[in-house]
Amino acid sequence: FTSHGLGIIEIKRMPVCARQLRRRKREVLQSLKHGIERLLLVIISITLCCMVVLMLWQGFTRYVLATPALFTEETLRFTMIWMALLGSAYCFGSRKHLSLDLLVFLGPMWWRKGLAMLNGLISIAFASFTMLIGGWGASMSAMAQLSPIMQIPMGMVYLAVPVSAGLIILLQALNIILIGLGQLAPVEEVQETV
């Protein structure tokens, strides 16, 4: 091999390495997205199981022991708030939220990609300004207020809003990138069941 020959071999290998690097980046983005979604599902499932146990305990103490546990109602309310907001972040990430896709199906693929990415950007803007900034302000201003029974700061409960907003922003950004790279369909086809 001559140095000229090695130069040609190196030039031929560059595009292959670049393609492999791009493919690896897409795989990392997809695995990050799926990892966050799985973590959210685990947290939501554990929260739901805890809520069932608390509800059963509340019923047992109220009807069998005739002295209801006071903390269960408040705990159930707070865990329901966290579960609902984390569930909304999961729905945005997995694109299982309620959406109207009529306009998306009317156009060609570039139209579908563009509208799906615009939808993601609008969702990010809403989550950023309303949920993240507004939710952070609400939770920080409520830190001095304590819950009546458990005496925890109400700001900890309201913190669910900016946390879910951060997850929505992250998952929507990953969706936009994956749609742009062609790794995620702009809109999932609806499967009709009879």
Side-chain angles (χ1 to χ4, degrees), residues 1-93:
F1 290 107
T2 64
S3 62
H4 185 277
L6 287 175
I8 293 173
I9 291 172
E10 289 176 13
I11 291 172
K12 287 183 178 179
R13 287 187 176 187
M14 287 294 287
V16 173
C17 291
R19 268 187 267 135
Q20 289 174 344
L21 185 61
R22 281 194 304 258
R23 186 174 10 143
R24 182 69 186 139
K25 284 180 183 178
R26 289 191 297 247
E27 291 170 358
V28 167
L29 288 175
Q30 283 181 331
S31 63
L32 175 66
K33 179 182 177 307
H34 291 301
I36 293 170
E37 289 171 357
R38 284 190 164 201
L39 179 65
L40 281 173
L41 274 180
V42 167
I43 292 170
I44 293 166
S45 300
I46 291 171
T47 306
L48 182 61
C49 290
C50 290
M51 287 178 64
V52 168
V53 169
L54 284 171
M55 212 174 295
L56 289 172
W57 177 251
Q58 184 179 20
F60 176 76
T61 58
R62 177 171 298 198
Y63 296 112
V64 175
L65 301 178
T67 54
L70 297 176
F71 74 94
T72 54
E73 183 181 344
E74 197 170 88
T75 306
L76 283 168
R77 204 173 329 127
F78 296 162
T79 52
M80 180 67 163
I81 291 168
W82 273 89
M83 187 180 71
L85 287 168
L86 291 177
S88 69
Y90 170 76
C91 287
F92 270 97

Side-chain angles (χ1 to χ4, degrees), residues 34-180:
H34 291 301
I36 293 170
E37 289 171 357
R38 284 190 164 201
L39 179 65
L40 281 173
L41 274 180
V42 167
I43 292 170
I44 293 166
S45 300
I46 291 171
T47 306
L48 182 61
C49 290
C50 290
M51 287 178 64
V52 168
V53 169
L54 284 171
M55 212 174 295
L56 289 172
W57 177 251
Q58 184 179 20
F60 176 76
T61 58
R62 177 171 298 198
Y63 296 112
V64 175
L65 301 178
T67 54
L70 297 176
F71 74 94
T72 54
E73 183 181 344
E74 197 170 88
T75 306
L76 283 168
R77 204 173 329 127
F78 296 162
T79 52
M80 180 67 163
I81 291 168
W82 273 89
M83 187 180 71
L85 287 168
L86 291 177
S88 69
Y90 170 76
C91 287
F92 270 97
S94 62
R95 301 183 319 153
K96 294 182 180 173
H97 55 62
L98 182 64
S99 63
L100 300 172
D101 299 330
L102 177 65
L103 287 176
V104 177
F105 284 116
L106 293 178
M109 185 54 73
W110 65 268
W111 172 261
R112 292 178 184 189
K113 272 186 162 182
L115 281 181
M117 293 169 82
L118 178 65
N119 182 16
L121 290 173
I122 291 170
S123 298
I124 288 173
F126 174 78
S128 297
F129 295 113
T130 306
M131 294 178 70
L132 188 66
I133 295 171
W136 181 260
S139 65
M140 290 300 114
S141 67
M143 281 296 183
Q145 178 187 358
L146 299 177
S147 67
I149 296 173
M150 295 191 312
Q151 297 295 307
I152 62 169
M154 290 300 292
M156 297 301 285
V157 178
Y158 299 153
L159 203 58
V161 177
V163 167
S164 69
L167 290 167
I168 288 170
I169 292 166
L170 176 62
L171 289 170
Q172 284 292 81
L174 288 171
N175 283 343
I176 290 171
I177 292 168
L178 290 172
I179 289 170

